[in-house]
Amino acid sequence: MAIGTADLPDPDGPEDRPAPAGNPGWLNEEELLFVRGRIPVLYVEAVPVRLDGLGKVIEVGLLLRSTPEGHLTRAFVSGRVRFGEPLREALFRHLENDLGPMAFPQMPTTLMPAQVAEYFPMPGISQYVDERQHAVSLVYVVPVTGSCDPRQDALEVTWMTPEDALAADTLSELPGGRGELLRQVLSTVGC
């Protein structure tokens, strides 16, 4: 199967001006398509959880999103790591973007992910599929203590028991093999 790639962006357009100060990793849609068609892209993904007083996971948060085709799907907090951006900052940025500034995530003391997932644009190479690109994702379980008010393209954050999050119906709502990924990630925290 051939992977479509974009032509190099036109160097004379306004989108090729230098990125705004403080945002050196921003890519416009044309540049992102070009990069996605040529090299793997690094992502961070987070599964937000709520803990009881003994540190046991009592709730798992999954985002509810609408696809361009109008289907509702579940999703993790996720996004690209920008050029020159430390992993910890990328993870925090995406947690705040997706859950809101009052989520108060408890960032991990170590950057060792719970799981590493490699997504391919064609099925059969890996159990994880992303039609847009070849991507490598570092997946973290992140305790959240505040209130979540989803931003960006998330419709809501649904909090559910670990048993409900791991139910077949819920896992089937996670596209691209992320249902199995959720099972693997939650197993690292005793669920």
Side-chain angles (χ1 to χ4, degrees), residues 4 43 49 61 63 68 71 73 75 78 86 96 101 110 115 118 127 133 141 156 158 164 169 184:
Y43 280 75
V49 296
L63 301 174
H71 299 99
T73 63
S78 67
E96 186 174 78
T110 176
Q115 185 72 347
E118 187 173 19
Q127 61 187 340
Q133 65 195 328
V141 177
E156 72 176 27
T158 305
D164 288 341
D169 289 349
Q184 293 171 359

Side-chain angles (χ1 to χ4, degrees), residues 11-179:
D12 299 325
E15 65 276 357
D16 293 307
R17 293 186 184 127
N23 193 4
W26 185 83
L27 297 172
N28 66 41
E29 288 298 317
E30 192 175 338
E31 291 167 328
L32 183 57
L33 181 63
F34 179 79
V35 170
R36 282 179 169 163
R38 286 167 175 75
I39 62 172
V41 179
L42 180 62
Y43 280 75
V44 289
E45 293 185 288
V47 176
V49 296
R50 296 201 188 271
L51 306 175
D52 67 11
L54 297 175
K56 180 181 175 191
V57 174
I58 56 172
E59 289 184 309
V60 176
L62 294 174
L63 301 174
L64 182 65
R65 291 200 163 127
S66 177
T67 67
E69 298 81 29
H71 299 99
L72 294 178
T73 63
R74 297 285 174 190
F76 303 149
V77 169
S78 67
R80 287 182 290 118
V81 177
R82 294 179 178 157
F83 179 79
E85 181 179 42
L87 288 175
R88 184 178 301 284
E89 290 177 19
L91 184 58
F92 185 81
R93 177 172 54 85
H94 290 295
L95 285 160
E96 186 174 78
N97 284 347
D98 285 348
L99 302 180
M102 302 304 289
F104 301 129
Q106 304 300 299
M107 299 299 290
T109 56
T110 176
L111 287 175
M112 181 67 68
Q115 185 72 347
V116 175
E118 187 173 19
Y119 296 92
F120 286 91
M122 66 289 283
I125 296 175
S126 164
Q127 61 187 340
Y128 310 118
V129 177
D130 185 328
E131 298 82 23
R132 303 166 300 168
Q133 65 195 328
H134 177 191
V136 176
S137 183
L138 308 176
V139 188
Y140 298 88
V141 177
V142 181
V144 172
T145 60
S147 61
C148 296
D149 183 23
R151 301 174 2 172
Q152 304 289 353
D153 61 346
L155 302 173
E156 72 176 27
V157 179
T158 305
W159 291 99
M160 55 189 82
T161 65
E163 295 77 23
D164 288 341
L166 294 171
D169 289 349
T170 305
L171 296 177
S172 70
E173 294 176 5
L174 290 155
R178 286 175 181 87

